[in-house]
Amino acid sequence: MLRKLSLAVLLPLCMLTLYLVLVIGEYLFESDQVRAELAQRQSTLIKQQLFRMQNVVQSAQALQDVERIEQEVSLAALDMGTMVYILVDADSRIRFANHTVWRDSNAMQVIDGYDATRDRAVVQAFLPQILVNLERLTIQAYYPVLPQYGGAVDLIYLEADLAPLVAEASAKLQQRFMRVWGLGGLLLIGFTFILYFLLIRPFQILSEAAKQVGTSSFSTSIPWSSSEVLSLQASLQQVHERLSRAVKQLNDSELRWLFAVEGSRNGIWDWDISTGEVFLSDRWKEMIGYAPDELAGVFQTWEARLHPDDRDIVLDALQEYVSGKSKEFESVHRLRHREGHYVWVLDRGMLVDWDPQGRPTRMIGIHMDVSESAKNHAAINELVDQSVTGRKMLPDVFMARLSQFLTQGNSSGQWGSLLLVEVDRLGLVATLNSHELERLLTQVAARLSSYFTENITVGRLESGDFVLLAKDLAIDASVAARRALALASELRQVIARPFHYGHHHFELSANVGICLLDSIETLDPALVMRRAELATLSAKRPGQAGCAFYHAEMDLRQSRDEQLQQELQTALQQDSMTLMFQPVMNAHSELVSAEVLTRWYRTDGEFIPPAEFVALAEQGGMIAELDFWVANRVCQFIQTSHAQGWSLPTLTLNISAFSFGQADFVDALIALVKEHGIAPHQLGIELNEAALLMQPQFVAERVSKLVDAGIGIVLDHFGSGSSALSCLANQPLVAVKLDMSCIDSLAAMPQRVKALIVSAQQFNLHVVAKGVESPQHYQAFVEFGCDGYQGYLFSRALNQADFIQLVCPRPLLRSV
């Protein structure tokens, strides 16, 4: 009830109630105070009178002047309005009194308020007592007298009435409060009227105006009021203006959205998960041959039209997304057309609403026709229709368009570009079978073809990579290059969005090579493709961020790279490469392990840096062969050392992520270890994060085999900027090696280095500092708590003979 009261009623009522409570409280307080003051004043007067009477009685008794005592008693009783005034002896017998009938009677029998016990206590202590009883409005006084002879008076007892005085004072108090109440009431009424016009009425006006915010009838007219109310009025006016603009923008956005949906020719669906109702747009129905007024708006309408081969996969992907197991729902599947054939669509949806318990209640998505796309009709048909075992080549329609663009040019004189997209499929081959891999690449192609504009043609190569022809980028070459680079970055972001296939979730990465195309220059399509391939190889190199342009020096570099790859293959076959050993020491300068390094000198003596020949091995597909060659040589060295009686520390090999991703590399490595009889923990491998962040099932299987074989795993380049704690938490590592960049961070950001070390030690992992070349480096890493140290301060990389001498000093060798 109170919640519905108007402020105009509630506020005055509260003020009146508060005023009455304050006034009544003040009156009661002052009334009690008046009574207390009257009692105190009368007590003082009585005490003075009794003190005088005490002296009179004592002197009169000494002279035996009874008449004087009687006169004094009579006068005292009359002056103070006393109710009872008596003088008693030791037996409580009344000797003198203001009432003659009481004389010679026992005080206890004739006087109600008299207390013989208190009488004796006062006489014995010879201390007077004056008692105030505010309930009876009386004062009782016991005043002792020194008796002069037996039977003489020894106590004066007095009982006075306060009622007349209290009544008189209360009357005066009431009169005063009536005047105060009346004046206060008038002021309260006046204040209430002022409050009503200054506050309540403006609030009523604003309340009514608030109901009309955003409408044409909104109006606030407050001629004058407090600054706060006027500020609220201005704020409400601003809200009205913003809401009006927002409503207009919302209407405009709705119109634009409708235009965008119709313009994109994509189907829209809106699924109420709790009821099963589904809104299907006209375009959605048109895709599968139905009119706008056909098809029921229920979930079964979509479910029943799924291709039998796609049904389980699509429904599983949808269920995983709705249940929160996957981050997004995206699927390429087939829907049955009204005429009986199937249409390929890219279906993408997103949850937009949840109930209070956190359960999803609404999902909105789009359908895109990727089999009948106007811009890539033939290319996508070629992509989708080809079987796993069938022919895979660049679609003829794409080659025709590329050749036409290169030979005929562009009448507008604008530059174009060819972008070769190489999807990183490391680990996919081991996780998916050939059919599943093909379906995944089909999803990639569908996403690309549905994402880009009519100005871009998408095709797919025999190797499974994708190629895009972008036309009409710009007339100026530098502008065209910037737009091509932006397109390449966008390509990598589109591919990086998670893919879901069955129970697998993939986060792919890609490298993009860019070849700019001048409309004036006539080039052979095969040459353009070759240039794009060279740019893609360059995009894989560190510092390229996955994108690179073709330039003429790549041809020269490619010639040298091809020659070096041939020589590297020969060096592996002839065992002409060299192994080096980099010692790892502990804080006591004791050798605990060694990292095996590979060095390559060409026949002419030129030294090829490891980073260069490893990159060449990866590009030429020889990296697994190189890593296995190193492992074989190290196993032979361990076996020979054991036969000679030399006790070697743990030797660790650098294994490329590409080798680790090969289907049979780990099995072959374990077989090699068993063949040479290598003891557990005698051999270890060093992997970077890329190898450990591939598909979990794929990594777990290989890591488990290595651990079972006694091969320890070390995470290399920890702290390079991309290391994730998931590698430390989820993998059975034995140690981590800090990245060389930590040396530079010692001076600039020592707290970063310390945080890396502490994070690894939280998982009970040994931490090895690399690149320790000065005592200052060593001291800093010691303070941070590193367990091992590797660098030129302790030893350079040693050849086999020098390493044996370090492990087994020469006197021991002579004895052997």
Side-chain angles (χ1 to χ4, degrees):
M1 182 65 180
L2 291 178
R3 296 176 60 185
K4 299 181 180 179
L5 285 178
S6 169
L7 193 62
V9 176
L10 189 59
L11 193 57
L13 182 60
C14 292
M15 293 175 60
L16 178 61
T17 303
L18 179 62
Y19 177 71
L20 290 177
V21 170
L22 292 176
V23 169
I24 294 173
E26 177 67 17
Y27 173 76
L28 295 176
F29 173 76
E30 289 198 21
S31 178
D32 291 340
Q33 192 174 21
V34 166
R35 292 187 180 190
E37 291 177 354
L38 283 174
Q40 181 66 31
R41 187 166 58 250
Q42 286 299 106
S43 298
T44 303
L45 292 175
I46 290 173
K47 188 174 182 179
Q48 294 174 356
Q49 182 64 28
L50 291 179
F51 177 74
R52 177 180 174 278
M53 179 61 72
Q54 179 190 45
N55 293 328
V56 171
V57 172
Q58 287 179 354
S59 61
Q61 285 188 145
L63 299 175
Q64 296 185 353
D65 188 358
V66 177
E67 292 181 1
R68 185 181 175 188
I69 296 175
E70 290 179 349
Q71 291 175 359
E72 289 295 332
V73 170
S74 300
L75 290 174
L78 290 174
D79 291 344
M80 294 186 295
T82 305
M83 295 171 59
V84 177
Y85 197 105
I86 62 175
L87 283 71
V88 299
D89 58 15
D91 297 328
S92 299
R93 187 163 54 92
I94 300 175
R95 303 300 302 272
F96 300 95
N98 60 338
H99 298 286
T100 57
V101 295
W102 289 346
R103 185 169 297 180
D104 295 329
S105 59
N106 193 299
M108 294 180 59
Q109 296 176 354
V110 297
I111 299 175
D112 293 336
Y114 175 78
D115 186 352
T117 304
R118 191 179 299 275
D119 178 348
R120 294 303 96 199
V122 170
V123 171
Q124 291 176 3
F126 205 75
L127 291 174
Q129 288 190 12
I130 299 176
L131 308 175
V132 178
N133 190 336
L134 292 179
E135 293 183 1
R136 295 178 57 189
L137 295 179
T138 61
I139 298 179
Q140 291 177 306
Y142 295 83
Y143 214 93
V145 178
L146 186 63
Q148 302 295 325
Y149 50 85
V153 173
D154 65 354
L155 179 73
I156 303 173
Y157 173 76
L158 182 146
E159 187 173 349
D161 187 9
L162 291 177
L165 296 175
V166 171
E168 182 182 358
S170 297
K172 293 179 180 179
L173 181 63
Q174 289 176 4
Q175 292 176 2
R176 181 164 62 86
F177 265 85
M178 288 298 293
R179 290 194 298 270
V180 173
W181 291 356
L183 180 59
L186 291 176
L187 292 176
L188 181 62
I189 293 173
F191 179 74
T192 302
F193 276 106
I194 294 174
L195 190 64
Y196 175 78
F197 285 104
L198 282 179
L199 187 64
I200 298 175
R201 179 171 173 75
F203 273 146
Q204 289 176 335
I205 296 174
L206 292 178
S207 177
E208 293 298 324
K211 299 176 182 178
Q212 307 298 329
V213 169
T215 66
S216 58
S217 57
F218 173 80
S219 174
T220 58
S221 107
I222 301 176
W224 56 274
S225 183
S226 65
S227 60
E228 290 80 7
V229 174
L230 293 177
S231 176
L232 181 60
Q233 178 192 18
S235 299
L236 192 62
Q237 181 68 34
Q238 293 175 1
V239 170
H240 167 71
E241 294 172 357
R242 287 198 298 265
L243 183 59
S244 299
R245 290 194 299 268
V247 170
K248 183 178 182 303
Q249 292 173 358
L250 182 61
N251 292 333
D252 294 343
S253 298
E254 191 172 323
L255 294 175
R256 295 188 192 103
W257 180 80
L258 291 174
F259 175 77
V261 169
E262 291 299 324
S264 66
R265 303 298 293 163
N266 292 328
I268 306 297
W269 52 268
D270 187 342
W271 177 28
D272 187 331
I273 301 176
S274 58
T275 63
E277 296 180 359
V278 180
F279 164 78
L280 303 173
S281 68
D282 295 347
R283 171 57 182 157
W284 194 98
K285 298 176 182 178
E286 180 186 343
M287 283 184 186
I288 55 176
Y290 289 90
D293 57 346
E294 296 180 311
L295 295 181
V298 292
F299 182 79
Q300 288 73 18
T301 299
W302 169 76
E303 182 182 12
R305 284 165 176 77
L306 290 171
H307 192 283
D309 294 342
D310 302 337
R311 177 186 174 87
D312 292 340
I313 296 175
V314 176
L315 292 180
D316 289 344
L318 178 61
Q319 179 60 35
E320 287 192 359
Y321 174 67
V322 172
S323 61
K325 296 179 181 179
S326 60
K327 297 180 180 179
E328 67 175 21
F329 172 68
E330 181 179 285
S331 173
V332 178
H333 52 263
R334 288 162 288 185
L335 289 179
R336 188 177 67 252
H337 195 273
R338 184 172 191 171
E339 297 178 358
H341 64 277
Y342 284 89
V343 178
W344 282 91
V345 297
L346 175 64
D347 195 351
R348 185 181 298 131
M350 180 177 67
L351 291 171
V352 296
D353 198 10
W354 293 261
D355 63 13
Q357 288 73 37
R359 293 171 299 195
T361 58
R362 187 181 179 193
M363 188 174 177
I364 297 177
I366 59 173
H367 267 187
M368 291 175 282
D369 188 343
V370 296
S371 63
E372 299 295 336
S373 172
K375 61 179 178 292
N376 289 309
H377 176 78
I380 297 301
N381 277 338
E382 171 88 13
L383 175 79
V384 177
D385 292 340
Q386 63 187 358
S387 65
V388 175
T389 57
R391 179 174 56 96
K392 290 186 177 65
M393 57 179 294
L394 190 67
D396 293 339
V397 63
F398 181 85
M399 288 299 293
R401 292 184 184 183
L402 176 61
S403 177
Q404 181 183 8
F405 181 81
L406 294 173
T407 55
Q408 297 182 5
N410 192 326
S411 59
S412 62
Q414 295 202 11
W415 286 69
S417 68
L418 184 73
L419 295 92
L420 181 60
V421 184
E422 181 178 311
V423 179
D424 183 8
R425 294 185 292 276
L426 186 62
L428 295 181
V429 176
T431 305
L432 303 176
N433 58 39
S434 58
H435 178 70
E436 290 172 338
L437 179 60
E438 177 65 23
R439 288 297 303 270
L440 178 62
L441 294 177
T442 300
Q443 290 190 42
V444 177
R447 182 183 289 183
L448 294 178
S449 66
S450 63
Y451 187 84
F452 294 100
T453 65
E454 297 286 343
N455 190 42
I456 297 175
T457 303
V458 181
R460 182 174 164 195
L461 297 174
E462 179 181 4
S463 61
D465 297 331
F466 300 92
V467 61
L468 287 83
L469 174 62
K471 307 174 184 177
D472 302 334
L473 292 179
I475 296 178
D476 182 78
S478 61
V479 176
R482 288 196 297 270
R483 292 184 177 177
L485 182 59
L487 179 61
S489 299
E490 191 175 8
L491 268 168
R492 298 184 75 245
Q493 294 175 16
V494 171
I495 294 175
R497 293 207 315 264
F499 287 89
H500 308 282
Y501 184 83
H503 298 291
H504 301 291
H505 306 278
F506 300 97
E507 294 184 3
L508 305 180
S509 62
N511 297 299
V512 183
I514 309 169
C515 179
L516 288 177
L517 304 175
D518 187 351
S519 60
I520 300 176
E521 184 181 11
T522 301
L523 298 174
D524 182 71
L527 177 60
V528 174
M529 290 295 301
R530 177 61 177 168
R531 289 180 174 180
E533 290 174 357
L534 294 177
T536 306
L537 292 175
S538 179
K540 298 178 181 179
R541 294 190 174 95
Q544 292 294 335
C547 300
F549 284 94
Y550 164 80
H551 51 82
E553 290 133 9
M554 288 183 178
D555 292 322
L556 299 177
R557 183 182 180 91
Q558 181 62 21
S559 299
R560 170 180 165 81
D561 289 350
E562 290 176 350
Q563 180 180 356
L564 288 177
Q565 285 178 351
Q566 293 176 359
E567 293 183 10
L568 178 61
Q569 183 69 52
T570 302
L572 291 175
Q573 294 172 354
Q574 297 178 355
D575 284 346
S576 61
M577 302 186 75
T578 305
L579 295 184
M580 305 291 286
F581 302 86
Q582 178 75 58
V584 177
M585 319 296 286
N586 62 16
H588 304 290
S589 298
E590 298 171 345
L591 180 65
V592 293
S593 65
E595 179 181 352
V596 180
L597 305 175
T598 309
R599 298 292 182 261
W600 179 31
Y601 293 88
R602 300 176 66 185
T603 54
D604 59 0
E606 180 187 0
F607 173 70
I608 307 299
E612 183 176 356
F613 71 74
V614 168
L616 290 173
E618 291 178 347
Q619 295 172 13
M622 295 181 291
I623 187 63
E625 184 180 354
L626 173 61
D627 287 344
F628 193 79
W629 178 87
V630 174
N632 186 36
R633 287 286 303 273
V634 170
C635 287
Q636 292 175 3
F637 174 58
I638 295 174
Q639 187 180 40
T640 302
S641 300
H642 180 71
Q644 295 290 332
W646 302 333
S647 179
L648 298 178
T650 301
L651 303 181
T652 59
L653 314 177
N654 287 288
I655 302 299
S656 167
F658 292 93
S659 301
F660 187 73
Q662 296 294 322
D664 56 351
F665 180 84
V666 170
D667 293 334
L669 177 62
I670 294 174
L672 183 67
V673 169
K674 292 180 178 179
E675 177 185 347
H676 288 82
I678 306 300
H681 310 298
Q682 183 69 59
L683 185 69
I685 64 172
E686 297 185 15
L687 298 172
N688 58 28
E689 185 193 44
L692 296 177
L693 291 182
M694 290 186 286
Q695 295 304 314
Q697 303 91 335
F698 168 80
V699 174
E701 178 184 357
R702 284 159 170 71
V703 168
S704 177
K705 290 181 179 180
L706 291 170
V707 172
D708 292 342
I711 301 175
I713 301 175
V714 178
L715 177 61
D716 199 8
H717 301 299
F718 182 65
S720 60
S722 59
S723 297
L725 290 179
S726 60
C727 292
L728 306 183
N730 299 330
Q731 304 299 340
L733 306 175
V734 296
V736 297
K737 284 191 174 183
L738 298 178
D739 189 70
M740 295 289 289
S741 62
C742 292
I743 294 293
D744 298 329
S745 298
L746 283 177
M749 291 186 297
Q751 65 276 11
R752 172 181 177 270
V753 180
K754 184 176 181 180
L756 288 170
I757 296 172
V758 171
S759 65
Q761 291 174 338
Q762 292 297 317
F763 296 95
N764 298 320
L765 297 176
H766 288 274
V767 180
V768 177
K770 295 172 62 175
V772 182
E773 299 182 357
S774 69
Q776 292 79 12
H777 294 164
Y778 173 68
Q779 185 61 36
F781 284 121
V782 168
E783 292 177 358
F784 289 156
C786 283
D787 304 289
Y789 308 90
Q790 176 180 334
Y792 288 174
L793 179 64
F794 297 94
S795 173
R796 295 178 177 271
L798 305 175
N799 58 32
Q800 183 171 316
D802 292 339
F803 181 66
I804 293 174
Q805 176 61 31
L806 175 66
V807 174
C808 302
R810 191 161 300 278
L812 177 60
L813 291 179
R814 285 199 299 267
S815 66
V816 175

